Every structure is written in structure tokens, then in C-alpha cells.
Amino acid sequence: MPIGVVVGGFFGDEGKGSVVGYLALKDKPEICVRGGVGPNAGHTVLYNGKEYKLRQIPSGLIYEKCRLLIGPGVLVNPDVLFDEIKKYSVDPSRVGIDKHTGIIRSQHIEREKKSKHLKEEIQSTLTGCGEANVDRVRRILSLAKDIDSLAEYIVDVPEEIWRAIDQNKLVLIEGTQGTFLSLYHGTYPFVTSKDVCASAICSDVGVGPKDVDDVIVVFKAYVTRVGAGPLLGELSKEEIEERGWTEYGTVTGRLRRAAPFSFDLARRAIKLNSATQIAITKLDVVFPETAGVRKWDKLSDRAKKFILEIEDTLGVPVTIIRTGKEVLDVIDRR
Ligand code: IMP
Ligand code: MG
């Protein structure tokens, strides 16, 4: 897998961070680069008993040898970025932000907080991403190269990626949000402020479609959604609790809505992302007996049946199966 992109197949919160963290540890990429919207996304990785909650830095952080880049299509809130670098003692020489990465200011957050539409109808994360993208479209947004405090991090991200590709080194591209939060392909208007499918994530970091070898679409073993918008098969709060599917958002702490795995959404996500592999996360939440299992043969029959049904129905191999919170709780079928 010289160049792989990891994207969400549902409404975000599929567990992309843990999948990227696992691939980084196993495959040892030269570069882990983040595409997607910006700090409205929260990726969580649990490694060696330590929890990393990342809104800007790529989840490849836990593999200490890779470069950690943020693409020009992404938004950065410098406060959030500096907090993460400090909190997780990230070596600054590993971090690179493209000169054209957009900058979120407090005014963007203030504008979103004042919007009844965003706050109440869309139930946005109110992290300033949408308003910053508005300013980018108006061509008045500040870019990373304009910000003195970011000077030591400014690089040309596409150039770094192309150099790695030319040297046959591995590049891991981390998407954020999920297919049905895409501005174009999601449940508009209950979506985020950009397209977040694989093509867009690649564009965010400066990679064209022919350079991508693998697209890994991440599905959780059930569907969740935070914020407003349709969710087919939505369970009641009581049903969610009974099934043990209760979850809270990484960025906003909001209770996530939930529904059973959707083959219809999954089929569409496969097409929209031209997925070559599927990662299934939180299998142990739906099938508790699989908790911590790292070998296919040790899975229960009903869990195997669920995975094989996904492969048969969707026609794409399930290569990564996550069975616990620790980043190495994985059945790797690649
Ligand atoms: P915004 O992108 O913060 O404006 O939020 C728009 C909608 O997308 C809201 O329903 C959010 O809850 C949802 N959303 C945005 N980013 C994420 C994410 O990373 N995970 C899950 N939901 C998200
Ligand atoms: Mg999240």
C-alpha cells in the first residue's frame, strides 16, 4: 500500500483515528497527512494505556517516526493545534502545515454561535469551520503562511507527498467526518461545510486520483450520528442503552444517536469513495464475546457471519476488524 486513504463511511465517529493509528504502527508510513474539514472532527486513539484525542494532528502520531502533515484544504485553529502539540509532547520537527491551510479565528466561532440555524437546526459543532470555509470561498480567509506563530511549521505538503511517492515510500492519508456528512453527497442541509469523500480528502492534501492505491472505508458495526438530520432505523434512547451502544462525541460531548448497521448506506459509501477495502470497528460492542480478539479463528460464529455478510453483499474485502479500544485490538486480514 504505497499510498492509502482512510475515510468514514457513515456520519463520522466510525473510529477512523484508531484505524489510522493501527495502520501507522503496522505499515510504518513516511508521512501521515490529515485531510478533511478541520477541528470539528475528533479522532481518538488508545495506545499503551494512553488516550490521544486529536482534532488537528494526524493519528499517525503514535508511530513516532512518521511526518505529521496537514493539507492545504484543511482548516487549522492554532490554539487547538498548539494545545495538542503541548499535551502530547509532539516533537515540533515532525509537524508540517501547508502554507495554504486555512486559519480559523475567534470571529468564525462567534459568528457560528450567533447563528440560530447552525446552532439549533443543523446542530453544528460551532468550532468555526463552516464560517472559515465561507471566508475562504469569499477569498478573505487568512492562510497559514500569514500567521507568525505558525512560521516554524510551514511547508509545501503536496511537494512532500510527491517526493515520498517518487521514493516509493508509504503515505497514509487520514480523512475526517463521514460520507453522509458530505456537503455534496450527504443528507443536506444536515451536513458539514465541505465534501469529505475520498476524492475530496485526496484533493485536500494535493494527491490526484491515479496516485491512490487503496481506499479504506471505515464502518462502525452500527451507525451513529451526532447533531440533526435523518437516521434511518434510529433506536430510542432506551434501546441504545439496552444494547450497550451509548456513546458521547469527542468534540462536543453530545450523546450520539444510533441505528443498526445499514447495508444501503454502506453500498452507497463504497461507490462514492471507490473503496478497495473495508474496516469494521467496534465489533465487540455488537458482539461482546469478541472483545479483544485478534485472530479470525477466535471470533464467534455469529460475528464471522456478520463480517462475511458485509463482504458478500458489498463485494469488497473486510481487511481490518477492530474488537476493542486499544489500537492493537485488531484482526488484520490483509
Ligand atoms: P459542523 O461541520 O461543525 O458545522 O457540523 C455540521 C454537522 O456535522 C453537525 O451535525 C455535526 O454534528 C456534524 N459533524 C461535523 N463534524 C463531525 C465529526 O467529525 N463527527 C461527527 N459529526 C460531525
Ligand atoms: Mg469524531
Side-chain angles (χ1 to χ4, degrees):
M1 187 176 82
I3 180 153
V5 50
V6 176
V7 292
F10 290 147
F11 297 95
D13 308 313
E14 300 92 353
K16 292 173 291 294
S18 304
V19 170
V20 170
Y22 174 80
L23 293 173
L25 286 179
K26 284 291 153 180
D27 298 350
K28 305 187 177 359
E30 182 79 4
I31 291 172
C32 184
V33 53
R34 190 148 162 166
V37 184
N40 51 352
H43 290 183
T44 307
V45 186
L46 182 68
Y47 179 49
N48 280 342
K50 188 169 174 187
E51 190 174 57
Y52 300 83
K53 286 181 184 273
L54 304 167
R55 294 169 56 192
Q56 302 271 204
I57 297 282
S59 304
L61 165 70
I62 59 169
Y63 166 57
E64 70 278 350
K65 287 193 180 138
C66 67
R67 282 283 278 160
L68 302 167
L69 305 181
I70 300 179
V74 181
L75 293 161
V76 162
N77 178 332
D79 295 339
V80 177
L81 176 79
F82 296 143
D83 274 356
E84 274 170 26
I85 291 176
K86 194 166 155 212
K87 186 167 177 197
Y88 301 121
S89 312
V90 186
D91 176 353
S93 73
R94 296 178 66 194
V95 179
I97 297 163
D98 191 81
K99 54 188 189 295
H100 290 155
T101 300
I103 299 299
I104 297 173
R105 308 266 205 185
S106 52
Q107 53 151 310
H108 299 119
I109 298 170
E110 293 313 313
R111 267 151 61 185
E112 290 193 348
K113 283 185 178 158
K114 276 191 212 138
S115 160
K116 195 168 177 279
H117 173 66
L118 284 179
K119 199 170 168 182
E120 287 171 23
E121 281 144 52
I122 308 300
Q123 295 172 23
S124 157
T125 62
L126 306 178
T127 47
C129 293
E131 286 296 330
N133 277 332
V134 166
D135 280 2
R136 182 136 195 175
V137 172
R138 286 190 180 136
R139 279 141 299 172
I140 55 172
L141 186 69
S142 300
L143 303 183
K145 66 178 169 61
D146 307 320
I147 308 294
D148 287 343
S149 59
L150 289 175
E152 66 172 305
Y153 300 108
I154 301 303
V155 293
D156 187 323
V157 165
E159 278 288 357
E160 277 205 36
I161 297 175
W162 303 333
R163 201 179 314 135
I165 296 173
D166 285 345
Q167 294 171 355
N168 236 348
K169 290 185 171 151
L170 188 76
V171 176
L172 193 53
I173 305 174
E174 176 172 358
T176 64
Q177 283 78 34
T179 300
F180 300 102
L181 289 177
S182 160
L183 183 62
Y184 302 153
H185 303 292
T187 53
Y188 188 91
F190 306 104
V191 294
T192 191
S193 52
K194 267 176 57 177
D195 182 20
V196 288
C197 295
S199 324
I201 299 295
C202 291
S203 168
D204 285 339
V205 305
V207 167
K210 284 177 70 181
D211 279 325
V212 178
D213 300 282
D214 269 303
V215 178
I216 301 168
V217 66
V218 184
F219 298 125
K220 195 151 59 181
Y222 46 103
V223 184
T224 60
R225 170 160 213 172
V226 280
L231 178 60
L232 216 67
E234 181 166 4
L235 302 171
S236 69
K237 271 197 186 112
E238 294 71 34
E239 284 172 307
I240 294 172
E241 213 163 286
E242 227 164 79
R243 293 182 187 218
W245 293 3
T246 309
E247 285 180 21
Y248 295 91
T250 316
V251 176
T252 56
R254 292 179 294 185
L255 182 69
R256 290 178 185 152
R257 301 156 62 197
F261 188 89
S262 166
F263 283 90
D264 289 338
L265 289 181
R267 188 180 298 107
R268 210 170 160 82
I270 300 270
K271 288 290 184 201
L272 287 167
N273 294 289
S274 66
T276 60
Q277 298 180 33
I278 295 172
I280 297 290
T281 61
K282 299 214 175 183
L283 187 71
D284 56 303
V285 174
V286 175
F287 304 105
E289 72 280 8
T290 67
V293 170
R294 297 183 184 185
K295 289 215 162 60
W296 173 259
D297 292 343
K298 299 251 162 73
L299 282 183
S300 59
D301 287 341
R302 60 178 192 154
K304 280 184 190 158
K305 194 170 157 238
F306 174 66
I307 298 291
L308 295 175
E309 188 187 354
I310 289 173
E311 278 189 343
D312 288 349
T313 311
L314 302 173
V316 175
V318 175
T319 52
I320 302 283
I321 302 168
R322 292 204 22 86
T323 57
K325 286 199 166 70
E326 170 70 29
V327 73
L328 295 173
D329 284 333
V330 166
I331 298 167
D332 191 337
R333 301 172 75 220
R334 295 179 294 165

